[in-house]
């Protein structure tokens, strides 16, 4: 303080003014502290971001981050390692703090309607010799709707039978054998049903028969998926599709089926027994041997 007073006195003497007494208390708190201090922005150290180390004058693009250090590369290809300290760099001419760039979580793989991993840019595989047979056009369309992607990946063809009344004869004509298997999806496959009696005697090792308990494939679609509380009960002897449409005010069965198919957008929209049955058939017809 004495040295400051001496300098001030000499300056006053030179210009003929009294010498003010300068006290440190006049400055108050640190002028760089508190709210007046500008916050140094943080810049993610993403590859390609150009910064400068003011201490050395080295200017380069971020190459990579190694723990708490960053590797910069200048335009001549020279690389240098710098610690990532607060306010240690200049970004666009202004002080900045380099921070590790946030790495986003890897995107979940796309899924097909059946829930399997979707194969992008799929080109359908050449059809196998094996087949999956279903009871009708609606069955085939619903299976395609849910499992179409998987079937094309595996090269499996689905064919409608229009009933299982002549299944033994159709199998004899097809001639199942290794590499030429047949999987059959049967509606209303429950103990005591006509369908269960028709398929009871089929024991060929190259044939698998599975099914679901519903009278018709429509009923394998969850009611909520088609905007109803439950599927109506249709008395025996009455056409089931026509009876359902009449009770729901859906018009003709063709219109009703459009509603049902539109509601089945994925595996969550169909009942578990159908999911299990179809998955078993796909595994069977695509197995080696």
């Amino acid at each position: 303080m004495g040295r400051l007073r001496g300098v001030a006195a000499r300056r006053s003497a030179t210009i003929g003014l009294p010498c003010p007494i300068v006290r440190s208390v006049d400055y108050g708190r640190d002028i760089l502290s508190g709210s007046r201090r500008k916050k140094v922005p943080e810049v993610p150290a993403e590859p390609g971001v150009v910064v400068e180390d003011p201490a050395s004058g080295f200017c380069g693009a971020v190459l990579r981050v190694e723990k708490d250090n960053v590797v910069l590369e200048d335009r001549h290809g020279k690389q240098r390692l710098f610690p990532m300290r607060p306010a240690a760099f200049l970004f666009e001419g202004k002080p900045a703090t380099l921070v590790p760039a946030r790495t986003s979580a890897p995107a979940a793989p796309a899924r097909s309607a059946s829930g399997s991993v979707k194969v992008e840019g799929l080109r359908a595989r050449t059809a196998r010799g094996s087949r999956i047979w279903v009871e009708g056009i609606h069955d085939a369309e619903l299976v395609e709707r849910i499992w179409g992607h998987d079937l094309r990946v595996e090269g499996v063809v689905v064919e409608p039978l229009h009933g299982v009344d002549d299944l033994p004869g159709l199998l004899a004509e097809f001639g199942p054998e290794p590499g030429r298997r047949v999987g059959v999806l049967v509606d209303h496959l429950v103990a005591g049903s006509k369908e269960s009696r028709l398929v009871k005697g089929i024991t060929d090792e190259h044939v698998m028969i599975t099914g679901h308990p519903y009278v018709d494939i429509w009923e394998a679609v969850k009611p909520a998926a088609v905007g109803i509380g439950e599927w109506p009960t249709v008395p025996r002897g009455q056409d089931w599709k026509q009876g359902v449409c009449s009770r729901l005010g859906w018009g003709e069965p063709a219109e009703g089926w459009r509603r049902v198919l539109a509601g089945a957008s994925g595996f969550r929209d169909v009942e578990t027994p159908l999911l299990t049955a179809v998955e078993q058939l796909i595994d069977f017809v695509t197995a080696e041997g």
Side-chain angles (χ1 to χ4, degrees), residues 156-229:
V156 177
V157 175
V158 174
E159 298 174 340
L161 291 178
H162 307 293
V164 294
D165 299 72
D166 192 32
L167 184 57
L170 293 171
L171 287 171
E173 182 180 341
F174 183 82
E177 60 184 9
R180 190 174 163 80
R181 293 180 167 188
V182 177
V184 186
L185 179 69
V186 179
D187 297 342
H188 201 217
L189 191 62
V190 294
S193 69
K194 178 191 76 171
E195 291 79 6
S196 65
R197 291 193 299 270
L198 287 171
V199 304
K200 185 177 181 180
I202 300 174
T203 57
D204 192 317
E205 64 177 326
H206 304 302
V207 177
M208 172 181 277
I209 298 174
T210 67
H212 55 77
Y214 310 108
V215 174
D216 192 278
I217 195 72
W218 291 26
E219 204 176 6
V221 178
K222 293 179 179 178
V226 294
I228 61 176

